[in-house]
Amino acid sequence: MRGVDVGVAAMPVLSVQDLKMYYLVERRGWVRAVDGVSFDLEKGEALGLVGESGCGKSSLGITILRILPFNAKIFGGKVVLEGKDILQMPEDKFRKEIRWKKISMVFQGAMNALNPVMRVGDQIAEAILLHEDVGRQEALERARNLLKLVGIDPSRANSYPHEFSGGMRQRAMIAMALACNPSVMIADEPTTALDVIVQAQILKLIKDIQRRLGISTILVTHDLSIVADLCDKVAVMYAGKIVELGPAEKIYYRPLHPYTAKLLGAVPSVKGKRRRLEFIPGAPPDLLYPPPGCRFHPRCPYAEEICKKEEPPMKEVNGVKVACHRVEELWNL
Ligand SMILES: Nc1ncnc2c1ncn2[C@@H]1O[C@H](COP(=O)(O)OP(=O)(O)O)[C@@H](O)[C@H]1O
Ligand SMILES: [Mg+2]
């Protein structure tokens, strides 16, 4: 099993430890978007990061890549890439050595970020030239190879973005993210703006690339069933925190946190009684004023006094990490 410490286990490619990033909102205070997040990403591993909108998934991505808006502040933690803490690295070094080169990101709706007046091949070549000491011809050749890799005929390098379909533009953005052979690629809801068939094609492409090139991937989505199919490991995020983390198939077939269970429409049987809960009533909390105790407690049908008062610690249950006071009791473990 991957991702489990076996004594002499190889170092993870990326290790995020107790990471905290808040946004300052004038006169109101801090939005605790990333509030003590920890996980490891092994070489070649695909991690699915799931949770409803507003849970802090994109905030986690931009904190790792350090592309934060002016009102964001990192409050602590570590981001260790290949053994080095890159959170403390000076910005110019980070820009030269890490961002796009070691860690890249494909954004939600990224296909609209291509420069409309520049040929697609030139844009990819540009990304290479910016980070690597290679000639223009070599960069263009690599751009054509990258297009081929993402399933676009290399001759289309001479096309302009408007001559591409939405799916092709998103493929080009993936090629751009791969331009400098990164160790880690973060794909933040890379298919949301596309139609269902194209979505499936792009997801398959991401999976193929991750397998073929051995790139460690973080796939952000709100759809847990996509992740079960595509990823090795799943991290479920709720209100700025990871509430469940473990092998994808375990979490998909046997979710432990009530939030994960409800994302999947699964129903714990409390003391033999079955309850039907197909949807999650309410919405994620305002992260300016997160609820005390377990942040999910106001929406959790199983919440008790302790859930309202004490933050649940991460515990390991059957090879899965889960932050729920009542997990053993809920599932008769
Ligand atoms: N620039 C910002 N200033 C203040 N709050 C923000 C900013 N960006 C995002 N947020 C808030 O941070 C929280 C997490 O947002 P986000 O990371 O986008 O979640 P997700 O990607 O899971 O939908 C939300 O409450 C959102 O409103
Ligand atoms: Mg997002």
Side-chain angles (χ1 to χ4, degrees), residues 21-25 29-34 49-62 68-72 108 188-189 220-221 237 239-240 284-288:
M21 186 280 283
Y22 303 166
Y23 300 103
L24 184 63
V25 178
W30 295 98
V31 176
R32 305 200 206 164
V34 179
L49 181 65
V50 298
E52 287 162 288
S53 181
C55 284
K57 306 179 299 295
S58 297
S59 298
L60 177 58
I62 62 174
L68 296 169
F70 72 96
N71 65 330
Q108 195 168 336
D188 188 359
E189 314 230 22
V220 179
T221 167
M237 196 162 177
D286 183 348
L287 293 178
L288 267 169

Side-chain angles (χ1 to χ4, degrees), residues 4-68:
V4 168
D5 192 355
V6 288
V8 287
M11 180 172 61
V13 170
L14 183 73
S15 177
V16 172
Q17 300 164 17
D18 203 19
L19 189 61
K20 291 185 180 147
M21 186 280 283
Y22 303 166
Y23 300 103
L24 184 63
V25 178
E26 223 181 308
R27 276 183 229 105
R28 299 194 68 201
W30 295 98
V31 176
R32 305 200 206 164
V34 179
D35 207 5
V37 166
S38 304
F39 66 88
D40 284 349
L41 186 66
E42 311 295 330
K43 168 126 187 61
E45 190 171 54
L47 169 77
L49 181 65
V50 298
E52 287 162 288
S53 181
C55 284
K57 306 179 299 295
S58 297
S59 298
L60 177 58
I62 62 174
T63 306
I64 293 169
L65 207 58
R66 287 172 45 178
I67 39 173
L68 296 169

Side-chain angles (χ1 to χ4, degrees), residues 100 103-106 172-182 184-185:
W100 307 123
I103 307 177
S104 68
M105 193 156 165
V106 179
M173 289 310 290
I174 293 168
M176 196 98 92
L178 296 170
C180 299
N181 302 311
V184 177
M185 177 168 77

Side-chain angles (χ1 to χ4, degrees), residues 291-298 300 302-313 315 323-330:
C294 172
R295 288 187 178 177
F296 187 57
H297 90 253
C300 182
Y302 314 109
E304 289 188 335
E305 276 317 299
I306 186 173
C307 310
K308 297 173 189 168
K309 292 195 181 113
E310 282 176 36
E311 186 178 335
K315 43 188 161 183
C324 171
H325 289 297
R326 299 194 63 204
V327 61
E328 292 93 348
E329 195 188 341
L330 286 180

Side-chain angles (χ1 to χ4, degrees), residues 106-109 170 187-194 202-203 206 219-220:
V106 179
F107 298 92
Q108 195 168 336
Q170 193 65 322
D188 188 359
E189 314 230 22
T191 65
T192 31
L194 301 165
I202 298 285
L203 290 169
I206 290 173
L219 178 65
V220 179

Side-chain angles (χ1 to χ4, degrees), residues 12-249:
V13 170
L14 183 73
S15 177
V16 172
Q17 300 164 17
D18 203 19
L19 189 61
K20 291 185 180 147
M21 186 280 283
Y22 303 166
Y23 300 103
L24 184 63
V25 178
E26 223 181 308
R27 276 183 229 105
R28 299 194 68 201
W30 295 98
V31 176
R32 305 200 206 164
V34 179
D35 207 5
V37 166
S38 304
F39 66 88
D40 284 349
L41 186 66
E42 311 295 330
K43 168 126 187 61
E45 190 171 54
L47 169 77
L49 181 65
V50 298
E52 287 162 288
S53 181
C55 284
K57 306 179 299 295
S58 297
S59 298
L60 177 58
I62 62 174
T63 306
I64 293 169
L65 207 58
R66 287 172 45 178
I67 39 173
L68 296 169
F70 72 96
N71 65 330
K73 186 170 168 2
I74 293 170
F75 275 82
K78 284 185 178 160
V79 177
V80 182
L81 180 78
E82 291 160 354
K84 261 191 284 178
D85 187 359
I86 56 166
L87 200 60
Q88 306 302 333
M89 193 180 264
E91 169 57 25
D92 60 333
K93 195 170 157 70
F94 190 90
R95 191 181 57 234
K96 272 191 217 124
E97 296 175 14
I98 308 292
R99 194 180 297 125
W100 307 123
K101 222 172 135 67
K102 287 279 186 184
I103 307 177
S104 68
M105 193 156 165
V106 179
F107 298 92
Q108 195 168 336
M111 64 265 203
N112 301 318
L114 286 163
N115 183 343
V117 297
M118 203 171 165
R119 293 175 203 274
V120 173
D122 288 341
Q123 295 192 47
I124 299 170
E126 206 60 50
I128 298 169
L129 288 167
L130 211 61
H131 289 97
E132 290 183 38
D133 191 17
V134 295
R136 179 142 206 103
Q137 276 317 309
E138 190 187 332
L140 274 170
E141 189 52 38
R142 268 171 61 183
R144 275 192 282 270
N145 285 333
L146 282 160
L147 285 175
K148 199 167 152 203
L149 179 75
V150 298
I152 295 175
D153 192 294
S155 67
R156 300 301 302 270
N158 294 323
S159 301
Y160 288 93
H162 71 87
E163 298 172 297
F164 277 13
S165 66
M168 282 169 80
R169 275 182 278 148
Q170 193 65 322
R171 284 173 192 266
M173 289 310 290
I174 293 168
M176 196 98 92
L178 296 170
C180 299
N181 302 311
S183 314
V184 177
M185 177 168 77
I186 303 171
D188 188 359
E189 314 230 22
T191 65
T192 31
L194 301 165
D195 74 55
V196 177
I197 291 169
V198 181
Q199 277 188 20
Q201 291 165 352
I202 298 285
L203 290 169
K204 185 176 176 300
L205 171 70
I206 290 173
K207 182 179 180 170
D208 284 352
I209 284 170
Q210 179 249 330
R211 294 272 148 89
R212 212 139 37 105
L213 307 184
I215 293 181
S216 310
T217 309
I218 300 176
L219 178 65
V220 179
T221 167
H222 52 266
D223 189 340
L224 192 40
S225 57
I226 285 177
V227 155
D229 193 29
L230 255 47
C231 297
D232 306 298
K233 202 151 82 182
V234 171
V236 180
M237 196 162 177
Y238 186 74
K241 293 177 181 289
I242 288 179
V243 297
E244 185 162 0
L245 174 68
E249 72 272 28

